[in-house]
DNA sequence: AGAGGTATTGATTTTCATTCTCATTACGGA
DNA sequence: TCCGTAATGAGAATGAAAATCAATACCTCT
């Protein structure tokens, strides 16, 4: 049995806090979903997570997973992304980063740029905006040997 | 009658070129849709454009507008964006720019940053990617007097 | 101009992720 | 343990976009 990482414990705490602070209830489903979610690396769809949770909890409903993932975002445990249109990908909230995606094989690489962050602030301010967030996605073709490598604009 | 701007003429030429170069046909619908599209400023959905085209061409089908807008993107006449999830917004292909969006009133401001462009190249290269495109969206709250002004993370 | 081989169109259906409904159940404070 | 909500799960509803398909419009070649 894997030792419960501190980061996982923190997530559990955040959820509890958020729930009590909002008069919401702690349920077996929310626990189960959080468990599976924390056990996941990278980016995952609600449907994919639903399949995973389902293995341990066959009576789980997909609507509950959709609802809960949204809740996780509000609680600061998860983050939602829309890399391809039509699907929402979730990932664990952690250090801030942007994404670099291969348009051929779908590989996702994460990156950070303090320089860009500062520039964003400057731009927003110059336009009279209070910056509250941003999304920065780079599309390219990676060097993986198994990447189809057929450049195509996003 | 407004004089056909050079930029509009260029769009028509691009479409013709693309069509003939791909063995596709010039149709009254494509002309009509292009006409309305060029007559539009800013960002518009397929459905919205459909409504506009429809005023002059009541027999136009919405599926045709969807198909044609996609065609315009391939022909380099239009660009697609996904600011809010679930809808595709199109705008005329022109000078390259990014977007700054008010999370309250939906106002869209365009900006450019040579500094960010360069940084993107650097980042992609360092990760072994051939950069083929990017999307950079800033979310904030604008200073418009009629802006609800209720900050909320995207 | 006319014919024939495609590409295109419009109406309609389908898809598919996500949300909504609602009857039933589970929490959790008193 | 009781009670008032919040939560759940099954299924229906949404809505943008894509897919179907029979009817039509283009275009090229004679
Ligand atoms: Mn990530
Ligand atoms: Mn724009
Ligand atoms: Zn790749
Ligand atoms: Zn605003």
């Amino acid at each position: 049995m894997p030792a419960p990482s501190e980061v996982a414990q923190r997530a559990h705490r955040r959820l509890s806090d958020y729930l009590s602070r909002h008069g919401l209830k702690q349920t077996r489903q929310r626990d189960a979903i959080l468990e599976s979610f924390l056990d996941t690396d990278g980016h995952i769809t609600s449907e994919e997570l639903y399949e995973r949770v389902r293995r341990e909890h066959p009576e789980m409903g997909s609507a509950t997973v959709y609802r809960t993932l949204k809740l996780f975002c509000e609680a600061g445990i998860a983050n939602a992304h829309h890399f391809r249109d039509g699907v929402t990908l979730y990932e664990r909230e952690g250090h801030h980063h942007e994404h670099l995606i291969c348009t051929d094989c779908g590989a996702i690489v994460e990156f950070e740029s303090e320089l860009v962050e500062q520039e964003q602030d400057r731009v927003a301010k110059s336009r009279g905006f209070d910056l509250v967030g941003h999304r920065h996605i780079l599309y390219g073709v990676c060097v993986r040997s198994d990447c189809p490598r057929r450049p195509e604009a996003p």
Side-chain angles (χ1 to χ4, degrees), chain A:
Chain A
M1 57 206 76
S5 73
E6 359 181 345
V7 49
Q9 287 181 31
R10 189 167 347 124
H12 274 96
R13 236 175 291 125
R14 270 202 195 174
L15 180 58
S16 293
D17 286 357
Y18 184 86
L19 294 177
S20 61
R21 219 174 325 103
H22 291 259
L24 305 179
K25 294 172 180 175
Q26 190 113 26
T27 67
R28 47 178 105 265
Q29 288 87 339
R30 283 171 177 164
D31 281 339
I33 295 170
L34 178 55
E35 214 53 53
S36 279
F37 181 61
L38 293 178
D39 193 38
T40 302
D41 285 321
H43 313 79
I44 190 174
T45 67
S46 184
E47 215 59 40
E48 286 165 354
L49 184 58
Y50 168 54
E51 289 306 328
R52 296 194 53 153
V53 178
R54 211 186 203 188
R55 295 206 280 265
E56 300 271 336
H57 306 266
E59 6 56 60
M60 177 72 64
S62 65
T64 300
V65 180
Y66 274 102
R67 285 185 286 235
T68 304
L69 240 14
K70 203 174 217 178
L71 175 74
F72 287 176
C73 287
E74 284 155 17
I77 293 173
N79 260 58
H81 293 283
H82 309 94
F83 298 146
R84 6 164 187 150
D85 188 35
V87 225
T88 302
L89 286 177
Y90 293 90
E91 74 175 328
R92 295 175 57 172
E93 162 75 62
H95 71 287
H96 178 72
H97 62 265
E98 311 302 333
H99 300 87
L100 172 50
I101 303 173
C102 178
T103 53
D104 290 330
C105 68
I108 300 178
V109 171
E110 308 185 332
F111 73 91
E112 302 166 74
S113 172
E114 185 51 41
L115 192 154
V116 173
E117 299 287 328
Q118 291 174 3
E119 178 72 348
Q120 289 174 161
D121 285 337
R122 185 160 31 243
V123 168
K125 195 164 300 177
S126 76
R127 299 298 198 289
F129 274 69
D130 285 342
L131 195 59
V132 301
H134 63 266
R135 287 275 113 106
H136 194 184
I137 308 176
L138 306 187
Y139 297 94
V141 180
C142 73
V143 294
R144 291 174 44 178
S145 57
D146 59 334
C147 179
R149 209 159 241 306
R150 284 179 306 239
E152 181 183 333

